[in-house]
Amino acid sequence: MRDSGQPEQDRILRSMEMHSVDEEVDVTPAIMQKVRRIHRKKHGRNDGNRKKTLMIAMLTAILILSSLSVYASHYLIQIKNKEGEVILSTIKPWKYSESEYNAKRVKETEEELRKRLKPGEQAVFYIKDLHMTPLVKEQPLNYFYMLTKHSNYQELAKEIEEKGAPVLQEPEYVPKGYRYDYGQIQIRNNPVWGTPEYETLLNELKEQAEKSDEERGLFYKIVPWFKIASTGMEYRKGENRIKMVAYAREKGSKAGVPTNQAVKIKVKGKEMILSASPSSPSRSLTWLSDNEEVLYIITDDPKDPLSKDEFAKIAAGLIP
């Protein structure tokens, strides 16, 4: 008599073949469902027959699970030539698009540099990875700066003075409930493609990479920074935040404020633009210093929006 469990076993095996080799396959529910069906089919017979039937069903389940376990463990297949060298093998399926993989590798690299660099240090780095796209290979060097987050304004003021960063005063007024959270100074140091300095660094790091046996490696060098980009502070009330940033800029160039809604206000005789963000519900107050070399921006939290008067009061305390 033909084993009634065989078609069910074939169906489960075929469904296994449709899975990615990376997935863990749990066939226990299917097996137990089969056991219950067999048990129901035999319901009504004497206890001895029911016990015998149940034992047969359980043994069938064990055999199927065992065979599937062997089947799943054999997705790694290698074909060798006469010399015993592997010339063809199965590999894990690729999980990322090119852009996703590039972003993933850069993020991993920066996380690793956070562990190695001291606050205030900058590194130029090269990623050795055959999967990186041609575009990344054409511009292989990147910079990473280890920010120093100051937990009090006095420490931030000290770094502003030491590095000649844009001055951002401690505001005389913030809305009730807001407290200083942290401040930081950001640098501007983009790689200059094609310059002799760039080529020297690239050749040095590529040489290190080529000598290494690593298939995926990080190679970097601590380098000095040259320009300050901005000074920033954040004030916090629970999950709500107010951001204040002073950007360094070249005098004489025009500054633009992206917006779809704005009004002009005057604070301590200085004209400012209060605008809505085109990409988020937050609003910003923007103005230039007297020497036009610093651009100031205050941004509110859309979950706790500031009134026009509150924006003006905060700005008044930031003006020297």
Side-chain angles (χ1 to χ4, degrees):
M1 183 175 181
R2 187 180 178 184
D3 183 3
S4 61
Q6 188 62 35
E8 180 72 5
Q9 181 178 351
D10 291 343
R11 185 188 64 78
I12 295 172
L13 286 171
R14 284 197 299 274
S15 69
M16 271 285 292
E17 293 172 353
M18 297 174 65
H19 279 278
S20 164
V21 295
D22 269 345
E23 297 178 359
E24 294 183 3
V25 182
D26 185 3
V27 297
T28 304
I31 300 303
M32 296 313 298
Q33 185 178 4
K34 173 178 173 60
V35 171
R36 285 192 292 269
R37 284 204 305 268
I38 294 173
H39 183 65
R40 285 196 298 267
K41 185 184 295 185
K42 302 298 182 181
H43 185 68
R45 296 184 182 182
N46 59 47
D47 291 341
N49 287 340
R50 282 202 299 270
K51 288 179 181 179
K52 181 178 179 182
T53 302
L54 184 59
M55 285 294 294
I56 293 172
M58 291 300 292
L59 286 171
T60 302
I62 292 170
L63 287 171
I64 293 174
L65 284 171
S66 300
S67 64
L68 288 179
S69 177
V70 172
Y71 182 87
S73 68
H74 280 77
Y75 69 83
L76 179 60
I77 299 172
Q78 295 181 337
I79 296 177
K80 299 180 180 180
N81 59 16
K82 294 179 180 179
E83 287 73 30
E85 300 169 331
V86 176
I87 56 173
L88 181 64
S89 66
T90 57
I91 60 175
K92 292 183 178 181
W94 195 244
K95 297 179 180 179
Y96 307 97
S97 67
E98 289 183 350
S99 59
E100 287 173 340
Y101 185 74
N102 292 341
K104 173 178 176 291
R105 291 292 288 120
V106 170
K107 183 178 179 181
E108 290 172 348
T109 299
E110 291 182 346
E111 287 301 317
E112 182 61 30
L113 288 171
R114 288 183 202 280
K115 301 174 186 176
R116 302 188 188 187
L117 300 188
K118 298 176 183 178
E121 284 187 332
Q122 179 184 231
V124 59
F125 65 89
Y126 174 83
I127 301 174
K128 179 183 179 180
D129 192 329
L130 294 177
H131 291 300
M132 300 293 274
T133 61
L135 177 61
V136 175
K137 291 177 182 177
E138 289 170 8
Q139 300 176 347
L141 294 188
N142 290 281
Y143 284 97
F144 177 79
Y145 178 68
M146 187 66 176
L147 287 170
T148 302
K149 283 192 172 184
H150 298 290
S151 58
N152 61 73
Y153 180 79
Q154 289 69 32
E155 291 178 358
L156 176 63
K158 184 179 178 182
E159 189 179 12
I160 289 173
E161 185 176 356
E162 289 174 349
K163 293 185 175 178
V167 176
L168 190 59
Q169 294 186 165
E170 188 174 16
E172 298 174 1
Y173 166 84
V174 290
K176 186 177 179 179
Y178 281 91
R179 298 288 183 271
Y180 179 95
D181 189 21
Y182 70 88
Q184 63 186 25
I185 290 175
Q186 183 62 271
I187 65 169
R188 179 188 295 114
N189 196 8
N190 295 325
V192 181
W193 315 112
T195 62
E197 294 80 10
Y198 176 86
E199 294 300 326
T200 299
L201 283 170
L202 176 58
N203 291 335
E204 180 181 341
L205 295 179
K206 280 186 72 175
E207 185 177 351
Q208 292 179 21
E210 288 167 0
K211 289 180 179 179
S212 172
D213 294 331
E214 294 180 84
E215 293 183 4
R216 294 173 54 195
L218 162 63
F219 301 88
Y220 71 97
K221 182 177 181 179
I222 304 296
V223 293
W225 54 267
F226 298 102
K227 292 182 180 180
I228 294 291
S230 65
T231 302
M233 295 188 299
E234 287 197 13
Y235 279 71
R236 182 170 62 88
K237 182 180 73 174
E239 297 299 318
N240 303 322
R241 294 181 176 273
I242 297 174
K243 299 178 182 180
M244 307 169 201
V245 186
Y247 293 96
R249 63 185 298 274
E250 296 294 330
K251 184 177 180 179
S253 60
K254 291 184 179 180
V257 180
T259 182
N260 49 21
Q261 184 180 357
V263 295
K264 185 189 292 186
I265 67 173
K266 188 173 284 189
V267 179
K268 295 175 80 170
K270 182 168 289 295
E271 291 185 327
M272 305 179 179
I273 296 176
L274 179 60
S275 61
S277 170
S279 57
S280 75
S282 62
R283 294 187 302 159
S284 298
L285 184 63
T286 308
W287 73 96
L288 284 169
S289 61
D290 289 338
N291 63 9
E292 301 178 6
E293 293 180 353
V294 181
L295 179 73
Y296 292 93
I297 300 178
I298 302 171
T299 305
D300 69 358
D301 191 316
K303 297 186 292 296
D304 186 32
L306 299 176
S307 68
K308 188 164 123 180
D309 288 341
E310 286 176 321
F311 268 113
K313 281 185 177 182
I314 298 171
L318 296 179
I319 298 174

